[in-house]
Amino acid sequence: TTVKYQLKKSAADVSIQIFDVRGVKMYEKTEKNIKPGTYSLTVNDNNFAAGVYFCTLTVDGEKVTNRMIKQ
C-alpha cells in the first residue's frame, strides 16, 4: 500500500498511523523537520486482513483521517 501526502509548508512533526476498525494501531511512522513537498510512503500490508482501515496523517498536531479498504 502506498500513502501519498503533500506538505505546503515545513513541519516539525509528521506522523502517519493506520488503525483497523476496532481502533488497533497497525502501523506508525514519525518524521521530524520535514520540508514542503510531495511524499509517498510504502506500507507493507501483508499482515493486514481484508477489511476497512483508517489512515491518520498528523502534521504539527493537525489531523486528517481517510478510510482505506484492503480487498
Side-chain angles (χ1 to χ4, degrees), residues 1-7 11 13-19 24-32 34 37-44 48 53-66 68:
T1 299
T2 301
V3 177
K4 296 180 182 180
Y5 61 97
Q6 181 178 19
L7 298 178
D13 294 299
V14 176
S15 172
I16 295 177
Q17 298 174 319
I18 298 176
F19 299 91
V24 175
K25 188 186 305 177
M26 303 293 291
Y27 178 86
E28 180 173 27
K29 172 132 182 145
T30 302
E31 299 280 341
K32 302 272 186 199
I34 304 299
T38 301
Y39 296 88
S40 66
L41 172 68
T42 301
V43 177
N44 181 350
F48 291 26
Y53 294 86
F54 297 93
C55 180
T56 299
L57 172 67
T58 305
V59 179
D60 291 338
E62 293 185 38
K63 295 183 179 186
V64 175
T65 301
N66 288 303
M68 303 174 6

